Amino acid sequence: MQLEKYAIDEHNHQLLKNHQRNFEHVAADVKELDTVISKLKAFNIAIPSWALGTGGTRFGRFSGGGEPRSLEEKLEDVGVIHALNRSSNSISLHIPWDIPDNAQAIKALATQLGLHFDAVNSNTFQDQANQKHSYKFGSLHHVDKEVRQQAIQHNIEVIKYGVELGSKALSVWLSDGSNFPGQLNFRGAFQNTLESLQEIYAALPNDWKVWVEYKPYEPNFYSTTIGDWGQSYLLASKLGPKASTLVDLGHHLNGTNIEQIVSILLMEGKLAGFHFNDSKYGDDDLTVGSINPYQLFLIFNELVEGMDVRNMNHATDIGWMIDASHNVKDPIEDLLQSVQAIKIAYAQALLVDKKALQAAQQNNDVALAQEILQAAYRTDVRPLIAQASLLMGGALDPINAYRKLNVRDSLIKERGVNTVATGL
């Protein structure tokens, strides 16, 4: 399914009067308005192929109907999202869930939809059909060299798929770890992981990068071999300049100061980018900004400040991607909400008076520094985001447009009510 631009334009026409009033009210107080709008227009967040179907828990999964049955249909769904928000112009694939049968045809479809391919993701946390060796006790850290070699070859194969599609990065997340004390030799596991990653790193094309993700627990609950940002940073530093650390917002213990981690990684030139989501108790993979939007804003405040100091392009110099799972929501609506939350936090960070904040910090004026940050956070920036979307040909209110245009009903009629997305 593809959305016709005239349908979006007709929907916008109904909202235009109210939008103009709201936009003019907010814009009157925004310094360098044109720059802010320009940056919002350029900012895009990649959509993960696995989030286009209903997610679930270990207890059950409930299809919402009309789920994509193939990679082609997943591309079409991302095309719908991008048509509505003009901020989701790429898709991130998970291999082997989404192996392209015909890379050239898939690339042509993506181009037709205004999309390209973001980082490709490997999978050594599941055993696949006809797999010779099991990953029950790990993959890249496994005590058995043959298991490690199987996992290495899988990652190299993923790189080859990515090259065919025009991707430029390999994202690696490992579930490797242990459930009980004494089960694992920590030093040996880390060394095996490093040596395995070195073989994968050697297979990277010259213009590629590898992003090393971390997670404190689950599915192993005593130790994870790449358990925190320090271990990921250490591996990335040992690997070389094409390796860096990927931050998943859900992959932290409760109360972790993620914005401080982000600031240091950015300072060291080792921040690969993000998997955006939110969490309440643990790695819940909830809709971005649904639980702690203030933390998301604080992260973006550090990002904008740190990237500006390094003269980095906000839109392209690190990776921006959603990594969420939803069992009770329409997946497309959830992704539209997530993109909106990310853009809100980014827009708020752009409004922070950096000079005033720096002066307050230098003067140890704690109360004023807090007031400056919260003044930006409390600004309703949605009219700015809507204006950027309008100028790019998108919807003023993407979720409202999605519902008014009956997209899910159309998908159910086209695909069926009991379809289940591939790879989940």
Side-chain angles (χ1 to χ4, degrees):
M1 176 184 181
Q2 297 184 35
L3 290 180
E4 298 291 345
K5 189 177 184 303
Y6 77 85
I8 296 174
D9 291 341
E10 287 180 0
H11 181 265
N12 284 342
H13 182 72
Q14 301 170 26
L15 306 178
L16 195 57
K17 186 176 180 179
N18 285 340
H19 163 69
Q20 290 293 350
R21 183 178 64 250
N22 294 335
F23 174 70
E24 290 169 6
H25 175 73
V26 175
D29 295 324
V30 176
K31 299 176 182 178
E32 300 182 10
L33 176 64
D34 290 344
T35 299
V36 171
I37 295 296
S38 177
K39 289 181 177 179
L40 289 173
K41 287 166 60 179
F43 198 73
N44 277 267
I45 301 99
I47 302 298
S49 61
W50 58 94
L52 294 160
T54 308
T57 71
R58 63 185 65 128
F59 300 106
R61 182 172 182 270
F62 307 95
S63 173
E67 294 190 11
R69 301 161 295 182
S70 64
L71 178 53
E72 288 82 358
E73 289 184 351
K74 289 182 178 183
L75 283 169
E76 290 177 4
D77 284 5
V78 178
V80 167
I81 294 169
H82 186 52
L84 289 168
N85 65 22
R86 305 309 300 173
S87 296
S88 304
N89 66 1
S90 62
I91 183 171
S92 182
L93 301 188
H94 217 300
I95 307 297
W97 293 346
D98 293 301
I99 295 177
D101 293 327
N102 185 328
Q104 292 306 312
I106 289 295
K107 280 185 69 176
L109 176 59
T111 300
Q112 177 187 332
L113 297 169
L115 308 176
H116 64 272
F117 291 89
D118 202 82
V120 284
N121 301 260
S122 59
N123 181 340
T124 60
F125 54 85
Q126 291 177 325
D127 286 349
Q128 306 299 326
N130 302 317
Q131 182 176 308
K132 184 176 181 180
H133 302 290
S134 175
Y135 296 132
K136 180 178 180 178
F137 295 108
S139 59
L140 296 185
H141 88 182
H142 204 284
V143 293
D144 187 332
K145 187 175 181 179
E146 289 190 5
V147 179
R148 298 199 301 273
Q149 198 61 43
Q150 175 181 273
I152 291 166
Q153 290 305 313
H154 166 69
N155 278 273
I156 293 173
E157 181 183 24
V158 172
I159 294 170
K160 291 178 180 177
Y161 285 123
V163 169
E164 291 178 351
L165 294 170
S167 176
K168 295 294 182 182
L170 169 69
S171 183
V172 178
W173 173 72
L174 303 178
S175 67
D176 295 11
S178 65
N179 273 300
F180 300 99
Q183 175 184 337
L184 193 68
N185 180 286
F186 295 144
R187 184 179 65 256
F190 192 86
Q191 187 63 37
N192 284 344
T193 302
L194 173 59
E195 292 174 1
S196 298
L197 285 171
Q198 285 172 332
E199 288 194 48
I200 296 167
Y201 187 90
L204 289 172
N206 292 334
D207 58 347
W208 268 57
K209 298 177 181 178
V210 60
W211 300 346
V212 183
E213 195 172 350
Y214 58 90
K215 188 178 183 182
Y217 68 93
E218 196 187 40
N220 290 283
F221 289 90
Y222 176 63
S223 73
T224 305
T225 298
I226 311 178
D228 59 34
W229 73 277
Q231 294 169 57
S232 171
Y233 173 77
L234 179 59
L235 288 167
S237 298
K238 288 179 177 292
L239 289 173
K242 292 189 288 186
S244 48
T245 293
L246 181 68
V247 176
D248 183 307
L249 299 191
H251 289 188
H252 300 87
L253 301 177
N254 281 336
T256 299
N257 190 328
I258 302 174
E259 55 267 33
Q260 186 176 23
I261 295 170
V262 167
S263 177
I264 294 171
L265 287 171
L266 189 57
M267 178 183 71
E268 291 298 307
K270 282 294 184 181
L271 178 62
F274 289 88
H275 280 180
F276 287 109
N277 47 51
D278 212 335
S279 61
K280 175 65 176 176
Y281 300 108
D283 183 28
D284 305 317
D285 276 349
L286 300 176
T287 310
V288 183
S290 62
I291 303 296
N292 195 350
Y294 190 52
Q295 181 187 58
L296 186 63
F297 160 72
L298 293 175
I299 289 169
F300 267 99
N301 177 61
E302 295 299 332
L303 284 167
V304 169
E305 191 275 338
M307 294 183 80
D308 286 347
V309 166
R310 296 173 64 86
N311 294 315
M312 296 172 68
N313 185 306
H314 294 181
T316 59
D317 281 355
I318 62 175
W320 313 101
M321 198 191 88
I322 294 166
D323 183 9
S325 180
H326 24 75
N327 201 24
V328 295
K329 282 184 181 178
D330 179 319
I332 291 179
E333 288 190 352
D334 181 89
L335 290 163
L336 287 169
Q337 287 180 317
S338 288
V339 173
Q340 180 79 348
I342 293 166
K343 291 169 68 179
I344 286 172
Y346 176 51
Q348 290 168 333
L350 291 174
L351 299 189
V352 172
D353 188 334
K354 302 296 191 299
K355 290 183 179 179
L357 180 59
Q358 186 177 31
Q361 291 168 339
Q362 292 298 314
N363 291 324
N364 294 313
D365 193 334
V366 181
L368 180 57
Q370 178 184 335
E371 289 296 309
I372 292 167
L373 274 184
Q374 292 186 345
Y377 175 69
R378 289 167 177 157
T379 301
D380 185 358
V381 297
R382 289 176 297 175
L384 302 179
I385 294 165
Q387 179 69 7
S389 179
L390 180 67
L391 293 173
M392 295 291 287
L396 286 169
D397 185 341
I399 289 182
N400 184 272
Y402 175 80
R403 292 191 168 197
K404 292 291 185 182
L405 296 174
N406 297 312
V407 176
R408 181 54 60 183
D409 288 344
S410 298
L411 292 173
I412 290 173
K413 289 177 182 177
E414 178 183 323
R415 302 171 182 172
V417 71
N418 296 315
T419 58
V420 176
T422 58
L424 294 174

